[in-house]
Amino acid sequence: MRRNTTIIVILSLFIVAIIGCNSVYEEPVDSYKSSSVHDDFPIPNSATLLQTITETGNPNIDNGAKYEVKGIGGEQGLSLPTRYFEEIQAGGWVELEDKRAGHFHYFEKDAKVIALEIRENSIGVYEMVENAKF
């Protein structure tokens, strides 16, 4: 009887560990809102505005915003939020994969380019100037 209890405890701990390790950010498909940077560019409903950026010192960025999004990006911001990217693309934004650089992903729609920075627990959304160099 004691052996069965030990096995159950070990299995329970294993299951808890697996669930804890899989707590990667994934918003439901329908839980997005407009960003403060561009009305047509979505951000997760759980995003909290941390900073509005009007002066970046970068001549290629018109304006931007940083948001706290618990769990996004995974450790060191290296995990891509698949559902979020699907939502962006469902809105007609096309990722410029050849322009991807580190934490930055670029999306284009109607000649407008948005840079999306994915970090651990945060995102940055930046509207690029026309003919930006990136």
Side-chain angles (χ1 to χ4, degrees):
M1 186 66 140
R2 183 169 166 92
R3 183 175 180 195
N4 288 341
T5 304
T6 303
I7 291 172
I8 290 172
V9 169
I10 290 171
L11 286 175
S12 297
L13 291 173
F14 181 72
I15 289 170
V16 168
I18 289 174
I19 291 170
C21 292
N22 286 326
S23 62
V24 175
Y25 165 85
E26 282 298 331
E27 284 284 327
V29 175
D30 61 348
S31 64
Y32 298 93
K33 61 186 176 185
S34 296
S35 73
S36 62
V37 175
H38 192 287
D39 287 342
D40 199 29
F41 194 84
I43 59 171
N45 266 336
S46 62
T48 303
L49 182 64
L50 294 175
Q51 178 183 17
T52 299
I53 302 165
T54 55
E55 291 291 324
T56 65
N58 184 332
N60 294 305
I61 297 175
D62 185 34
N63 65 81
K66 290 190 177 190
Y67 300 90
E68 178 181 44
V69 184
K70 296 280 188 203
I72 201 165
E75 192 173 320
Q76 299 179 9
L78 300 176
S79 177
L80 294 182
T82 306
R83 284 188 183 171
Y84 179 37
F85 276 45
E86 289 171 356
E87 178 69 15
I88 293 168
Q89 292 168 343
W93 293 91
V94 176
E95 184 174 5
L96 305 173
E97 292 183 18
D98 61 322
K99 304 293 185 194
R100 188 183 297 174
H103 295 280
F104 284 87
H105 303 265
Y106 297 89
F107 295 89
E108 183 175 30
K109 179 180 178 181
D110 300 330
K112 193 53 95 174
V113 176
I114 298 290
L116 175 65
E117 179 184 19
I118 304 288
R119 296 286 180 170
E120 185 176 356
N121 296 317
S122 70
I123 61 172
V125 179
Y126 307 95
E127 187 172 12
M128 307 300 285
V129 298
E130 190 173 331
N131 299 316
K133 307 282 189 260
F134 51 93

